[in-house]
Amino acid sequence: AISLQENAVVYDQGARNAVESVKMFATNSFRNVPRTVVDQISDSALVSAKKIVAHVVAEFTDAAGRILVELLMLALYVMFWLCTPMPLNTRTEGIFRRYLALKGFACL
């Protein structure tokens, strides 16, 4: 997320280049549409694209944070169990191992 913020200028320039390409395409394709309308539409599209990208990045970092917390909780759970292991028979141990595997997958 930090590198995204540091390179925001580069991404902004890339978005502006894409908008300019779309403007040129729209101008060449729809010659009857005034240039001001094309400019308004492209500016609106650029603002909307920025909002969408910001939302996607925020959701991604939020999900990554939640996954890290869940993995930390699983690691603590396993660590405490390993510090004070209980004697188990093989059937119970198999059930417990399966539980830990399923718990780990559920955290992801």
Side-chain angles (χ1 to χ4, degrees):
I2 294 171
S3 66
L4 287 175
Q5 290 174 347
E6 291 172 354
N7 296 325
V9 175
V10 175
Y11 295 120
D12 188 48
Q13 185 61 40
R16 290 187 188 283
N17 291 343
V19 167
E20 282 300 318
S21 297
V22 170
K23 279 183 185 180
M24 293 302 292
F25 175 75
T27 302
N28 292 334
S29 298
F30 307 107
R31 297 188 192 276
N32 297 334
V33 178
R35 179 72 178 181
T36 56
V37 172
V38 173
D39 289 341
Q40 288 175 345
I41 291 171
S42 61
D43 290 341
S44 175
L46 183 61
V47 169
S48 297
K50 282 183 181 181
K51 287 180 183 178
I52 289 170
V53 168
H55 180 71
V56 167
V57 168
E59 288 295 320
F60 179 74
T61 54
D62 183 47
R66 279 187 273 135
I67 288 172
L68 286 175
V69 168
E70 291 292 331
L71 287 174
L72 175 69
M73 295 303 290
L74 177 66
L76 286 172
Y77 185 73
V78 170
M79 185 182 71
F80 284 126
W81 179 75
L82 290 175
C83 288
T84 57
M86 299 180 302
L88 302 172
N89 63 25
T90 55
R91 179 167 156 58
T92 307
E93 184 179 338
I95 291 171
F96 192 72
R97 287 181 190 268
R98 185 166 181 241
Y99 169 77
L100 284 177
L102 293 173
K103 176 78 171 167
F105 288 127
C107 288
L108 298 177

